[in-house]
Amino acid sequence: MIIYAHRGLSGCYPENTMIAFQKAYECGARALELDVQITKDEKIVVIHDEKIDRTTNGKGFVKDFTVDEIKDFDAGSWFDHLYKDEKIPTLEEVLQWLSNIEGRMLVNIELKNKEFSQRKFLRELINVIKKYDSPNHHIIFSSFIFENLIELRNLDKEVSLALLIEWNNNYSVKEIMRLSKIVNAKYVHTDIRFLQSDIVDMLCNLINVCVYTVNDNNIYEIAKSKGIFGIFTDFANKMI
């Protein structure tokens, strides 16, 4: 089963920062998950929220700052003062680091907002990825926003896509597979609560299923017993 370090080793270090990614790699993780947003000057940066308030010492929307302005904020002290020098990384910085490590890494990049359905942003995304293309690493794009996946598939027929599914009792296997086939997704990533339903059991026979976010060893064992392809966890060091 694939163990994704969710936003890096985010249970132990400030999420979506270089130290969180580096420590995940050092503990043996060979799969990373990260989130991307777009700055005012149309650069791609690695941060989960649309606003910088929760994970930096600043306030406001990512889209209202240039990348240079974003770099002025402290992205580590909210977690612990030991990490006050951590910054919001650009996607390019993360990919450059990945290109210099040994071994293969599976990288899931989640597109957080609808702006990524615009061609100019998707082209920038693809260009950044191709700049650091390596046979040692495999990139997967995921999003809760279906339009993002549709436009990304239209732009690139070969890119690997994952359909992100929020918890909703109204979802059926038929509907999930219908959406997956529209964008030719290789993976379905579901909320952890789907483990309580029969949906996951049926999906595992049809497509690669990953579950988010698994931080409990008992839940990990349940996921493993069901034939889950992978899990996302904040504590990759405890699951590997």
Side-chain angles (χ1 to χ4, degrees):
M1 187 162 62
I2 302 295
I3 309 296
Y4 279 96
H6 182 241
R7 308 178 199 173
L9 194 57
S10 57
C12 305
Y13 300 91
E15 66 179 62
N16 279 326
T17 60
M18 290 309 305
I19 193 169
F21 299 134
Q22 291 161 356
K23 293 300 182 181
Y25 172 73
E26 288 173 13
C27 82
R30 292 300 175 263
L32 291 177
E33 187 270 352
L34 55 88
D35 311 280
V36 291
Q37 300 276 1
I38 302 166
T39 64
K40 184 178 181 179
D41 51 346
E42 301 183 356
K43 300 300 181 183
I44 300 170
V45 292
V46 180
I47 183 173
H48 179 273
D49 301 354
E50 290 187 3
K51 299 180 76 173
I52 65 173
D53 302 39
R54 181 176 64 86
T55 57
T56 79
N57 61 339
K59 292 185 181 297
F61 288 92
V62 174
K63 66 181 182 180
D64 292 334
F65 297 101
T66 66
V67 70
D68 288 338
E69 290 169 338
I70 283 284
K71 286 293 185 180
D72 286 335
F73 296 111
D74 170 0
S77 291
W78 69 273
F79 189 89
D80 191 297
H81 73 278
L82 294 172
Y83 310 116
K84 64 181 178 62
D85 294 327
E86 288 300 313
K87 302 296 182 182
I88 297 173
T90 63
L91 178 60
E92 188 164 355
E93 286 170 335
V94 175
L95 293 173
Q96 187 173 26
W97 166 72
L98 281 168
S99 69
N100 291 316
I101 65 173
E102 294 183 2
R104 190 172 190 272
M105 187 69 79
L106 186 62
V107 184
N108 185 100
I109 300 175
E110 183 181 342
L111 312 183
K112 297 302 295 182
N113 52 51
K114 196 171 182 178
E115 278 74 12
F116 277 107
S117 63
Q118 297 180 37
R119 285 295 180 96
K120 62 178 180 179
F121 295 134
L122 290 180
R123 288 193 181 95
E124 172 67 15
L125 187 63
I126 295 298
N127 288 339
V128 171
I129 296 300
K130 288 184 175 180
K131 183 177 179 180
Y132 295 99
D133 185 37
S134 168
N136 291 331
H137 307 308
H138 181 63
I139 305 292
I140 298 167
F141 293 105
S142 65
S143 187
F144 287 109
I145 302 166
F146 197 59
E147 292 89 341
N148 289 347
L149 299 180
I150 289 175
E151 290 304 320
L152 195 49
R153 174 58 71 217
N154 288 338
L155 190 64
D156 191 324
K157 300 301 182 186
E158 304 299 322
V159 68
S160 293
L161 300 181
L163 178 67
L164 267 168
I165 301 293
E166 293 183 281
W167 173 244
N168 186 328
N169 283 322
N170 295 324
Y171 268 117
S172 65
V173 171
K174 183 178 180 180
E175 176 63 8
I176 292 171
M177 290 307 300
R178 183 186 74 83
L179 294 173
S180 299
K181 288 176 181 177
I182 289 174
V183 294
N184 192 23
K186 293 183 179 179
Y187 310 89
V188 170
H189 297 168
T190 71
D191 186 288
I192 191 172
R193 285 168 286 186
F194 277 101
L195 285 176
Q196 302 167 4
S197 72
D198 295 332
I199 287 179
V200 160
D201 301 86
M202 292 183 280
L203 279 176
C204 284
N205 294 318
L206 300 170
I207 196 168
N208 297 314
V209 178
C210 297
V211 176
Y212 65 88
T213 304
V214 179
N215 290 332
D216 181 279
N217 283 90
N218 291 328
I219 303 298
Y220 167 82
E221 292 298 334
I222 292 171
K224 193 174 181 180
S225 70
K226 287 178 175 285
I228 296 294
F229 179 80
I231 63 166
F232 297 88
T233 178
D234 300 330
F235 297 96
N237 54 323
K238 297 181 180 180
M239 303 290 179
I240 295 172

